[in-house]
């Protein structure tokens, strides 16, 4: 069976090339996940480090899916959306009954505290719902090898350093990371995990490049910040639309974690966000407590709290400069998928 046949068997509603919506914590919830899957991609709910509301998000997704005039074809007893966990903080024992109850098509793991924790999540997920596929997001060749040997991951989401939100502080862009992961795992047609590329992909040209680098599909986070289904403050969304020249206006840093109190991340990880006053003050030597106090005061301003001269955090990747309009999540999926075909056709004409 080749990779495309495997994808069609595991996710029968899917259309190729595969477009995945990243499980962005608190932002990618039922509406976004369902719209993405409805359009032939794979949508994820971002449970992140806190599963206390996950039951209600999954229940909403189930309701939305069961209201469709024609149901999406799925593997028996699975929900055609996935759930993403940030494993160092998520509660395994609270998550498993929900996996068993809803049987998402995929469980996405990211940043476990140890390989034994990754093994425990994997084993218990497979026990709770054997049809649920294990996806692991990795940012290095070594982590990719470990995810395969520890979890026998069905899918590796290979995250390049352009990605918005959290990832490895030291990393490579997809351009070199993806082919090296591909070679290290000796991935060949139908053998080894499927590879999904993440990081810096916001439109069809970069999606096409990722496919040419060896990806079976692409995952987008930053682009989906600008869709009506995103659970996001308008000030944050406006900031994503405003920012251009992503390599200059975003930075990988721990500053925003310190201000927001999300300090459970390992030293190996930081996050990419749009630079703002909090960041420049931190770099300029402002005391963390003072910066935090100003950040908390800024929260009172609502949408006005976002902007280059303001202080609220806008996590986004280097592709933020390519995000220029708010568009429906399903339309984004279709635009990328159809665009890849057009770009490939154009490339063929150059040969
Ligand atoms: C706002 C935001 C929140 C994110 N939250 C999560 C998360 O909760 N769990 C996770 O595994 N990845 C998370 N990510 C990373 C994505 O999974 C993905 O790697 C990244 O968005 C891909 O790069 P892109 O933003 O350039 O598309 C987040 C990304 C963003 C932009």
């Amino acid at each position: 069976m080749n990779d495309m046949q495997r994808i069609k068997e595991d996710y029968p509603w899917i259309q190729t090339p595969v477009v995945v919506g990243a499980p962005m914590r608190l932002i990618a919830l039922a509406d976004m996940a369902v719209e993405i899957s409805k359009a032939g991609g794979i949508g994820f709910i971002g449970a992140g480090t806190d599963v206390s509301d996950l039951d209600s998000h999954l229940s909403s997704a189930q309701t939305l899916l069961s209201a469709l005039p024609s149901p999406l074809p799925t593997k028996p007893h699975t929900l055609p959306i996935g759930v993403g966990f940030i494993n160092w903080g998520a509660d395994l024992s609270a998550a498993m009954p929900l996996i068993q109850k809803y049987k998402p098509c995929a469980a996405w793991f990211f940043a476990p505290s140890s390989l034994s924790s990754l093994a425990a999540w994997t084993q218990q997920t497979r026990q709770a719902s054997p049809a649920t596929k294990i996806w692991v997001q990795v940012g290095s060749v070594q982590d990719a090898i470990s995810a395969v040997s520890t979890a026998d991951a069905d899918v590796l989401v290979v995250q390049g350093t352009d990605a918005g939100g959290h990832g490895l502080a030291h990393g490579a862009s997809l351009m070199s990371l993806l082919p090296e992961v591909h070679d290290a795992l000796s991935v060949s047609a139908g053998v080894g995990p499927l590879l999904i590329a993440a990081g810096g992909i916001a439109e069809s040209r970069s999606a096409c490049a990722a496919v040419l680098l060896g990806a079976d599909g692409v995952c987008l986070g930053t682009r989906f910040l600008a869709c009506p289904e995103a659970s996001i403050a308008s000030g944050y969304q406006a900031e994503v639309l405003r920012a251009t020249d992503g390599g200059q206006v975003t930075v990988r840093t721990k500053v925003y974690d310190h201000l927001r109190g999300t300090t459970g991340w390992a030293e190996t990880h930081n996050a990419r966000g749009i630079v703002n006053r909090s960041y420049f003050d931190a770099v300029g030597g402002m005391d963390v407590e003072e910066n935090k106090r100003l950040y908390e005061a800024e929260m009172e301003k609502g949408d006005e709290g976002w902007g280059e001269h303001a202080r609220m955090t806008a996590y986004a990747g280097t592709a933020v400069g390519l995000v220029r309009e708010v568009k429906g999540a399903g339309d984004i999926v279709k635009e990328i998928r159809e665009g890849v075909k057009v770009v490939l056709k154009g490339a063929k004409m150059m040969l």
Side-chain angles (χ1 to χ4, degrees), residues 22-25 27 86 108 110 137 159 163-165 198-200 220-222 236:
M24 296 182 284
R25 188 180 82 98
I27 295 175
I86 296 174
W108 164 311
F110 180 46
Q137 177 163 250
Q159 188 196 43
L220 284 67
T222 297
Y236 183 172

Side-chain angles (χ1 to χ4, degrees), residues 34 108 131 173 183 188 194 216 249 251 287 296 310 312 320 327:
V34 169
W108 164 311
S173 74
D183 290 351
S188 59
L194 296 171
D216 296 292
V249 300
V251 69
D287 172 67
E296 280 158 16
M312 299 293 287
V320 71
K327 192 168 182 175

Side-chain angles (χ1 to χ4, degrees), residues 16-17 19 201-209 211-212 218 223 327 330-347:
T16 54
V19 180
I201 302 169
E203 37 88 88
S204 49
R205 288 168 295 181
S206 34
C208 197
V211 170
L212 294 176
V218 294
R223 176 75 195 269
K327 192 168 182 175
D331 289 334
I332 293 174
V333 172
K334 290 176 201 158
E335 176 206 298
I336 305 267
R337 196 170 55 227
E338 294 315 310
V340 166
K341 291 173 197 160
V342 173
V343 176
L344 278 178
K345 219 183 239 173

Side-chain angles (χ1 to χ4, degrees), residues 19-309:
V19 180
V20 177
M24 296 182 284
R25 188 180 82 98
L26 305 176
I27 295 175
L29 302 177
D31 285 343
M32 192 196 290
V34 169
E35 281 307 306
I36 291 172
S37 288
K38 256 172 65 184
I42 305 184
F44 277 81
I45 288 177
T49 49
D50 180 5
V51 301
S52 54
D53 291 332
L54 184 57
D55 198 352
S56 83
H57 296 314
L58 281 164
S59 167
S60 303
Q62 198 171 45
T63 306
L64 290 168
L65 287 162
S66 58
L68 296 179
S70 42
L72 299 183
T74 57
K75 264 184 122 167
H77 315 301
T78 58
L79 210 56
I81 57 159
V83 179
F85 300 97
I86 296 174
N87 302 72
W88 63 255
D91 181 341
L92 172 64
S93 57
M96 285 309 125
L98 300 174
I99 298 265
Q100 187 165 33
K101 179 173 171 190
Y102 292 99
K103 300 182 174 40
C105 68
W108 164 311
F109 300 148
F110 180 46
S113 53
S114 62
L115 288 177
S116 57
S117 158
L118 177 62
W121 275 86
T122 303
Q123 203 181 1
Q124 293 193 36
T125 298
R126 287 196 168 122
Q127 222 160 35
S129 171
T132 296
K133 295 292 169 187
I134 302 297
W135 293 39
V136 184
Q137 177 163 250
V138 296
S140 70
V141 176
Q142 185 51 55
D143 284 355
I145 293 169
S146 301
V148 172
S149 59
T150 306
D152 190 20
D154 299 298
V155 174
L156 287 184
V157 181
V158 180
Q159 188 196 43
T161 194
D162 288 308
H166 287 86
L168 285 180
H170 298 288
S173 74
L174 282 174
M175 192 62 86
S176 54
L177 179 62
L178 195 59
E180 196 179 346
V181 167
H182 198 281
D183 290 351
L185 298 177
S186 311
V187 174
S188 59
V191 179
L194 296 171
L195 300 182
I196 300 291
I201 302 169
E203 37 88 88
S204 49
R205 288 168 295 181
S206 34
C208 197
V211 170
L212 294 176
L213 289 171
D216 296 292
V218 294
C219 168
L220 284 67
T222 297
R223 176 75 195 269
F224 285 115
L225 293 173
C227 70
E229 296 83 0
S231 172
I232 186 175
S234 343
Y236 183 172
Q237 197 170 64
E239 186 59 358
V240 169
L241 294 173
R242 179 197 65 79
T244 56
D245 206 354
Q248 299 301 305
V249 300
T250 69
V251 69
R252 299 207 70 93
T253 179
K254 272 191 180 284
V255 165
Y256 299 129
D257 274 328
H258 291 149
L259 298 178
R260 290 152 57 94
T262 45
T263 49
W265 289 92
E267 268 312 301
T268 44
H269 286 70
N270 63 9
R272 187 180 286 282
I274 300 173
V275 292
N276 63 15
R277 221 162 132 195
S278 300
Y279 174 75
F280 288 119
D281 280 347
V283 170
M286 183 184 274
D287 172 67
V288 180
E289 288 312 312
E290 171 64 358
N291 208 346
K292 211 166 166 178
R293 192 188 63 72
L294 292 169
Y295 172 84
E296 280 158 16
E298 196 90 342
M299 285 168 79
E300 305 295 319
K301 296 186 184 167
D303 290 326
E304 299 298 309
W306 276 275
E308 58 182 322
H309 304 297

Side-chain angles (χ1 to χ4, degrees), residues 310-327:
R311 296 182 173 276
M312 299 293 287
T313 305
Y315 282 134
T318 61
V320 71
L322 293 160
V323 184
R324 299 179 180 126
E325 59 175 341
V326 174
K327 192 168 182 175

